[in-house]
Amino acid sequence: MLYVIIGEDVENSLAQRLAARPAHLERLHALRDAGRLFVAGPNPAIDSNDPGDAGFSGSVIIAEFDSLEAAQSWADADPYKAAGVYQQVTVKPFKKVLP
């Protein structure tokens, strides 16, 4: 089943985010390579694809896991969480309807 993982950044976390990004992307690439990643990306803190120093307010990942518990466990091990980038992480089942 698909699950959405919503990470909400602490304020002024751009430096921590950039430092942890390689490890974060490595895990996402592993999901992609396993055919389990539907979509992933950050939420710019301002209305721009390149927010510069404004940074990001969070991230969204939609991926396939065997259970809610497995998705939560994967999210709990995210390098952004360990680096203090995320203040909160929400994991929910996701049902794709469109397109």
Side-chain angles (χ1 to χ4, degrees), residues 4 7 19-20 22 34 44-45 50 54 57 60 65 67 72 88 93-95:
V4 61
D50 182 7
S57 63
V60 174
F65 293 92
S67 66
Q72 184 68 59
Q88 180 176 332
F94 180 80
K95 180 180 175 184

Side-chain angles (χ1 to χ4, degrees), residues 1-96:
M1 179 169 188
L2 291 173
Y3 295 88
V4 61
I5 300 169
I6 304 164
E8 296 180 45
D9 288 15
V10 299
E11 288 189 40
N12 302 312
S13 62
L14 184 57
Q16 297 100 306
R17 179 181 269 271
L18 292 175
R21 188 170 189 261
H24 173 77
L25 289 178
E26 184 177 326
R27 296 177 81 235
L28 289 172
H29 290 160
L31 279 180
R32 178 200 62 201
D33 294 348
R36 297 173 38 208
L37 182 63
F38 182 69
V39 68
N43 304 111
I46 59 174
D47 190 13
S48 172
N49 280 329
D50 182 7
D53 290 340
F56 300 90
S57 63
S59 302
V60 174
I61 299 165
I62 301 176
E64 185 178 347
F65 293 92
D66 291 334
S67 66
L68 179 59
E69 293 78 18
Q72 184 68 59
S73 178
W74 189 91
D76 288 344
D78 194 298
Y80 281 174
K81 191 168 182 185
V85 174
Y86 291 153
Q87 66 177 327
Q88 180 176 332
V89 177
T90 303
V91 180
K92 299 179 182 184
F94 180 80
K95 180 180 175 184
K96 182 181 182 277

